[in-house]
């Protein structure tokens, strides 16, 4: 029996638990972003505390056309539990300070029937922030249609390229449906000793500029929509992109649809860093927001 509610466990710490304050923040960030690459069928957006990446994330959410969306798939990486597959939420509703979002039991059943999905227990679900940080944005963008859409939260484990391809094929028909929106949750480079990643190519200018160069290489490869090129880049630089597997699943879905004759393009619209690293003792996390459209 599914749990009734997944609580907004990071409200009050990673973002405000005041509905009116949250509404005001999200409105401002969305108003400050431009609609230049929509209507989005999928977005990549960050999942850090809103004071770090709320404004950046708005650029992805601004590309969504809410009137057509009936289902929102949210794919986020697992930060706390070792997971070798993908897992579904057993909740019936996910709470946000704005309003509760209904989990799509029908799609969950269809995905479970493939035999390739596990279930998250409530603690695993509520401990993880990568999906939760998108729920207020989804609620905000969809507020005029609040009773007319459902969500499908999917936690993506540390899966191999082969499993990315398998899941990509499973999700491809859903991505092809214009009533579905995919939200891919990922931050970009986590740089610094606390992340055990201090790769720097001498002669690249200040560290923060090198980090941007490194991230932009990966972003350019994502824009090509060639999954193998992105995988090769990750192998070469080990860039600490925490949502690499959700991104890989999306790219494999796109490859599958390209084989079926669909035409799509992806564009990054905003890039930001939590801090400008100038010294080996500094640390930062990068954020990027982008949109996938069907041509």
């Amino acid at each position: 029996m599914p749990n009734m509610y997944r609580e907004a466990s990071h409200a009050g710490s990673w973002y405000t638990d005041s509905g009116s304050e949250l509404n005001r923040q999200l409105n401002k960030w969305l108003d400050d972003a431009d609609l230049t690459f929509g209507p989005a069928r999928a977005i990549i957006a960050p999942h850090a505390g809103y004071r770090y990446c709320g404004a950046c994330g708005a650029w992805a959410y601004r590309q969504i056309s809410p009137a057509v969306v009936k289902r929102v798939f949210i794919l986020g990486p697992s930060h706390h539990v070792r997971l070798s597959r993908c897992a579904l939420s057993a909740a019936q509703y996910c709470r946000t300070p704005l309003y509760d979002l209904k989990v799509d039991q029908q799609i969950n059943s269809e995905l479970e029937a493939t035999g390739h999905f596990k279930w998250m227990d409530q603690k695993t679900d509520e401990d993880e922030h990568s999906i939760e940080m998108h729920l207020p944005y989804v609620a905000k963008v969809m507020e005029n249609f609040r009773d007319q859409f459902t969500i499908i939260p999917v936690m993506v484990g540390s899966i191999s390229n082969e499993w990315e391809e398998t899941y990509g094929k499973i999700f491809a028909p859903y991505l092809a449906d214009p009533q579905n929106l995919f939200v891919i949750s990922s931050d970009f480079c986590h740089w610094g000793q606390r992340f055990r990643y201090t790769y720097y190519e001498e002669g690249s200018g200040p560290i923060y500029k090198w980090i941007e160069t490194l991230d932009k290489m990966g972003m350019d490869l994502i824009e090509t929509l060639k999954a193998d090129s992105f995988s090769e880049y990750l192998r070469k630089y080990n860039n600490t992109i925490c949502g690499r597997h959700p991104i890989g699943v999306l790219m494999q879905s796109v490859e599958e649809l390209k084989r079926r004759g669909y035409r799509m393009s992806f564009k990054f619209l905003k890039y930001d860093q939590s801090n400008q690293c100038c010294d080996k003792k500094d640390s930062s996390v990068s954020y990027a927001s982008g949109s996938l459209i069907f041509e």
Side-chain angles (χ1 to χ4, degrees):
M1 182 65 197
N3 320 322
M4 195 67 178
Y5 291 101
R6 182 210 182 278
E7 296 299 335
S9 50
H10 294 74
S13 53
W14 290 55
Y15 58 100
T16 178
D17 53 6
S18 156
S20 55
E21 174 68 9
L22 184 59
N23 194 50
R24 191 186 63 71
Q25 286 176 349
L26 296 173
N27 267 330
K28 181 187 185 313
W29 291 327
L30 288 163
D31 286 346
D32 289 346
D34 298 328
L35 170 54
T36 55
F37 206 72
R41 190 73 63 84
I43 61 170
I44 293 174
H47 56 234
Y50 281 178
R51 68 196 177 98
Y52 298 110
C53 72
C56 179
W59 284 79
Y61 279 95
R62 186 73 180 81
Q63 315 311 313
I64 292 165
S65 192
V68 298
V69 174
K70 295 283 182 274
R71 288 166 294 273
V72 183
F73 291 75
I74 307 166
L75 276 60
S78 172
H79 288 83
H80 303 295
V81 297
R82 288 196 69 78
L83 186 65
S84 58
R85 297 289 180 266
C86 289
L88 304 168
S89 176
Q92 289 180 328
Y93 294 90
C94 292
R95 291 199 190 275
T96 81
L98 301 176
Y99 58 91
D100 297 340
L101 303 177
K102 187 177 186 188
V103 177
D104 196 312
Q105 305 303 326
Q106 168 67 34
I107 303 276
N108 270 355
S109 299
E110 291 172 15
L111 294 175
E112 185 186 28
T114 66
H116 295 319
F117 290 82
K118 301 176 184 301
W119 291 95
M120 292 182 249
D121 60 49
Q122 188 159 5
K123 181 176 177 352
T124 299
D125 199 345
E126 290 179 356
D127 282 351
E128 181 54 62
H129 63 274
S130 72
I131 294 169
E132 181 183 335
M133 297 308 294
H134 288 279
L135 301 179
Y137 254 121
V138 169
K140 177 64 196 165
V141 170
M142 297 299 296
E143 65 187 349
N144 294 337
F145 306 92
R146 60 189 285 173
D147 299 320
Q148 296 165 45
F149 77 99
T150 54
I151 62 168
I152 303 91
V154 181
M155 190 188 280
V156 180
S158 298
I159 53 177
S160 64
N161 287 17
E162 292 70 31
W163 275 105
E164 285 178 5
E165 194 175 337
T166 299
Y167 285 114
K169 285 179 172 153
I170 290 170
F171 285 119
Y174 297 103
L175 181 62
D177 182 342
Q179 294 190 320
N180 294 335
L181 167 73
F182 277 73
V183 172
I184 305 299
S185 176
S186 184
D187 296 337
F188 274 68
C189 186
H190 297 59
W191 198 93
Q193 285 159 357
R194 70 195 184 98
F195 301 117
R196 300 189 196 85
Y197 187 78
T198 51
Y199 183 61
Y200 171 69
E201 288 191 356
E202 295 302 332
S204 304
I207 293 172
Y208 69 88
K209 274 295 188 199
W210 158 249
I211 295 169
E212 181 172 350
T213 301
L214 180 66
D215 280 329
K216 291 276 170 79
M217 274 190 262
M219 291 157 67
D220 289 348
L221 291 169
I222 293 169
E223 287 184 350
T224 69
L225 296 175
K226 294 190 173 83
D228 287 349
S229 306
F230 183 56
S231 295
E232 188 50 48
Y233 157 84
L234 291 171
R235 271 194 295 276
K236 182 174 177 185
Y237 293 103
N238 284 312
N239 191 0
T240 42
I241 299 172
C242 54
R244 60 176 66 191
H245 298 300
I247 292 169
V249 170
L250 173 69
M251 292 179 79
Q252 290 288 358
S253 280
V254 167
E255 299 250 26
E256 177 64 22
L257 292 180
K258 283 199 292 200
R259 286 191 283 272
R260 300 181 196 180
Y262 289 89
R263 294 179 51 146
M264 292 148 278
S265 50
F266 189 93
K267 189 173 179 195
F268 278 102
L269 306 163
K270 192 70 176 166
Y271 175 79
D272 215 345
Q273 293 175 351
S274 64
N275 178 40
Q276 291 201 332
C277 293
C278 297
D279 179 298
K280 286 278 181 173
K281 293 192 290 291
D282 293 342
S283 63
S284 74
V285 180
S286 312
Y287 312 114
S289 281
S291 169
L292 176 84
I293 60 172
F294 277 56
E295 293 164 6

